[in-house]
Amino acid sequence: MGGFAALRSATLPGCRPGQAQPVVSGSAHRARSLQGKINNRRTLVTSKAKEGNGVEEASKPKDGVTSVQKLLSNNRYWAEKVSAEKPDFFEELSKGQAPEFFWIGCADSRVLTNFFTGTGPGDVFCHRNVGNIVMHTDMNCMSALEFSVGALGVKHVIVCGHYACGAVNAALTLPQKSDGIVNSWISSIRAVRNDYAKVLQQLEEADRWPKLCEANAVEQAFNVCTSPTVQAAWADGKELYVHAMIYDISTGRLRRLAGPISSLEQAVYVEESYHDHGGKGEELGLGGTEGNTGVKQELHDRIVRALSGVKEFEEQM
């Protein structure tokens, strides 16, 4: 019997042997079979439900389903709790957003902006990627920056790195010839590593990773300063401040490295801040270099050059 004939003679679900059966394509037959399995699974899950844990062990769906179901259950609990405490909360939130901060951070699952800054929904507009990288060619980051400054009117742009950042560690240890998209993405962090080579080489090996985490955050903040969006905002006289910060996962503490920067002329501010801190550079990414004047001076000079170089070039145009 040919394949088509066999299909025609097969008894479909819901038909008795010998009964005239509809002609169903292979794809429709598979879809009907799959739907039957789904319905059976739903029947098992709902019929075996019990108080507390939801379903009996034998009838539980796979982990992928239960994990997502946990998120949905948590969401329902959270929404009901918030609504009970603040009945108008979601209605007011749905009317629009007016955040004061635009946060550029790392995609690391341990670094949750609202969680460790004590802010709530609508307070911080966020963009996250691997390594908190800011590139003028990254349309995702640049469009978020443009929208936050131009449409939302944020007053502060914060680039926040964090210690124990895997992207930074990869820039220190992963050979440049390694294949993969991630290795290409972190090339900008590797460029920061090369720029700070003299500084990093003077440190113990264990101290290079955290120092590069700081340096990367500062450099990415400089990239924000030289972006077309920020330059245009400053040229229009808008109140806009750029900051570089670092988050310590081991302590939960957030520390400022550089800023607030409100113009390219802030090279002067950065230099004054360096001296105001007695040469320790605690807010310029120079912490932990006490007693090493050469390291502190090198970092200080890089900050001044990075901020003033663009300004000098533009003035000559």
Side-chain angles (χ1 to χ4, degrees):
M1 181 183 293
F4 181 72
L7 177 62
R8 289 289 301 273
S9 64
T11 301
L12 295 178
C15 296
R16 297 186 301 275
Q19 178 184 4
Q21 303 174 54
V23 177
V24 182
S25 67
S27 58
H29 191 188
R30 288 192 296 272
R32 181 177 294 179
S33 176
L34 178 60
Q35 185 61 50
K37 292 179 181 178
I38 293 174
N39 291 338
N40 290 338
R41 174 56 62 85
R42 285 174 178 169
T43 302
L44 280 172
V45 171
T46 55
S47 64
K48 298 293 185 179
K50 64 181 180 179
E51 186 176 355
N53 201 30
V55 296
E56 291 183 358
E57 195 67 30
S59 62
K60 275 188 177 180
K62 294 183 179 180
D63 288 344
V65 177
T66 56
S67 297
V68 173
Q69 185 58 46
K70 182 179 179 180
L71 294 181
L72 295 172
S73 298
N74 290 345
N75 169 256
R76 284 195 296 271
Y77 171 78
W78 171 78
E80 291 170 0
K81 184 173 183 293
V82 172
S83 295
E85 295 173 352
K86 302 177 181 178
D88 298 332
F89 179 79
F90 292 111
E91 182 179 353
E92 291 298 319
L93 196 63
S94 67
K95 293 178 181 178
Q97 60 174 326
E100 184 178 0
F101 307 97
F102 175 44
W103 188 280
I104 301 175
C106 184
D108 193 296
S109 62
R110 302 164 294 176
V111 184
L112 304 177
T113 307
N114 293 110
F115 187 75
F116 63 75
T117 59
T119 53
D123 292 336
V124 184
F125 190 70
C126 292
H127 172 80
R128 299 172 66 187
N129 61 46
V130 175
N132 46 272
I133 293 172
V134 178
M135 293 188 294
H136 296 173
T137 55
D138 178 8
M139 295 299 101
N140 191 347
C141 182
M142 289 296 103
S143 61
L145 176 61
E146 181 181 282
F147 180 74
S148 67
V149 173
L152 299 179
V154 300
K155 293 293 189 294
H156 301 271
V157 179
I158 299 169
V159 178
C160 184
H162 67 93
Y163 295 122
C165 178
V168 173
N169 188 47
L172 275 172
T173 61
L174 190 65
Q176 188 165 346
K177 64 182 180 180
S178 300
D179 293 333
I181 299 299
V182 172
N183 196 33
S184 298
W185 174 255
I186 64 172
S187 60
S188 60
I189 305 179
R190 190 176 285 112
V192 176
R193 177 203 67 184
N194 296 340
D195 289 339
Y196 282 82
K198 185 186 296 185
V199 173
L200 296 172
Q201 288 167 0
Q202 295 183 54
L203 300 175
E204 296 293 332
E205 186 172 353
D207 297 328
R208 294 174 184 173
W209 186 10
K211 182 55 61 180
L212 185 55
C213 289
E214 296 177 359
N216 180 54
V218 172
E219 288 295 324
Q220 304 306 330
F222 293 156
N223 290 343
V224 170
C225 292
T226 56
S227 67
T229 293
V230 172
Q231 287 294 292
W234 283 341
D236 291 340
K238 289 185 178 180
E239 182 183 6
L240 182 64
Y241 305 96
V242 179
H243 313 256
M245 297 187 182
I246 191 82
Y247 176 67
D248 191 339
I249 296 175
S250 66
T251 65
R253 299 297 297 271
L254 187 65
R255 183 165 63 92
R256 186 171 62 184
L257 300 173
I261 301 168
S262 59
S263 69
L264 286 176
E265 286 77 12
Q266 286 300 314
V268 176
Y269 168 84
V270 174
E271 186 172 14
E272 289 175 351
S273 295
Y274 172 79
H275 291 295
D276 289 342
H277 287 84
K280 294 182 180 179
E282 293 177 351
E283 292 191 3
L284 300 174
L286 313 180
T289 59
E290 290 79 0
N292 193 335
T293 305
V295 173
K296 290 185 291 188
Q297 190 61 45
E298 170 68 18
L299 280 168
H300 169 249
D301 290 345
R302 270 205 51 76
I303 290 172
V304 173
R305 286 198 302 270
L307 285 172
S308 61
V310 173
K311 178 175 179 293
E312 292 176 0
F313 180 82
E314 299 244 347
E315 287 178 346
Q316 295 174 3
M317 293 180 65

